[in-house]
Amino acid sequence: MSISKNNLNKKNSDIIEIPLEKNGMDWSVNVFLGDQNKSLIFDTGCDDILALKDTLINPLIKGEQNNITFETITIGGNSFENVFVKHKLSIAHNLIGMPLLWEYKRVTLDFINQKIYLHDGMKSKNKNSISNRSRKIIDELIKLVPNTAHKKLLNPVK
């Protein structure tokens, strides 16, 4: 990590720019979850991909405090398919966690200009990135409940 007053050289076409919005003491980003626009608190202490306080339709696995779905999310024009989403009724805000940053080779947080710059998407080999973590969870669910989980993931109820 480095801290600099220098402006980012954005000539590289592999840089995705995401607006940050000041939200009290927090910073939030807008994402599309399926076709729904959601404002999520950017939480570097959260290791969940997405943790939502509100429940979406048709959870794949229902629990007393957690519902789990797999959704398409779009962040700054970059789409991820079958992303593992936890619906936690016990949290105060919708959160996006560290797996977003782990998806990229390098990340620049520009709080002065209220932007996140994501460099070289999908080139990260981090096992906890959005793509790698979601794929692992899907594979585990298919092993546990091969017919039900697999069918629901490939043919979600609309």
Side-chain angles (χ1 to χ4, degrees):
M1 175 168 73
S2 64
I3 298 173
S4 173
K5 290 183 180 181
N6 298 335
N7 287 331
L8 177 69
N9 180 355
K10 295 184 275 187
K11 291 180 182 175
N12 185 341
S13 62
D14 279 347
I15 296 176
I16 295 171
E17 182 178 305
I18 300 175
L20 276 172
E21 185 177 306
K22 189 73 171 145
N23 189 350
M25 294 295 292
D26 300 313
W27 293 90
S28 62
V29 295
N30 284 316
V31 303
F32 279 94
L33 194 55
D35 59 356
Q36 296 180 21
N37 188 13
K38 293 265 187 198
S39 179
L40 306 172
I41 299 292
F42 177 62
D43 185 350
T44 57
C46 176
D47 70 348
D48 289 324
I49 297 169
L50 293 176
L52 302 179
K53 67 178 181 169
D54 46 3
T55 304
L56 295 180
I57 310 166
N58 301 319
L60 179 63
I61 297 173
K62 295 180 183 181
E64 200 169 300
Q65 286 294 314
N66 297 320
N67 293 322
I68 295 170
T69 60
F70 290 86
E71 305 289 342
T72 297
I73 63 169
T74 305
I75 305 168
N78 216 10
S79 288
F80 301 93
E81 301 286 326
N82 293 323
V83 173
F84 178 69
V85 179
K86 276 188 186 175
H87 303 274
K88 293 179 158 184
L89 305 177
S90 60
I91 60 174
H93 302 284
N94 292 330
L95 305 174
I96 187 163
M98 286 301 292
L100 169 65
L101 302 185
W102 292 326
E103 188 71 36
Y104 297 88
K105 197 169 187 177
R106 189 165 66 97
V107 175
T108 303
L109 299 171
D110 183 350
F111 293 109
I112 294 169
N113 295 307
Q114 298 185 324
K115 306 268 187 209
I116 297 176
Y117 298 100
L118 306 169
H119 306 260
D120 299 322
M122 315 293 195
K123 293 184 182 175
S124 171
K125 303 295 183 214
N126 191 306
K127 67 180 180 177
N128 290 313
S129 69
I130 292 171
S131 303
N132 292 333
R133 195 164 182 190
S134 292
R135 180 79 252 155
K136 182 180 177 190
I137 292 166
I138 289 171
D139 290 344
E140 288 171 4
L141 282 174
I142 289 171
K143 285 178 193 172
L144 289 173
V145 194
N147 297 329
T148 308
H150 194 280
K151 286 178 186 174
K152 284 188 177 185
L153 289 173
L154 295 178
N155 302 305
V157 178
K158 302 274 181 187

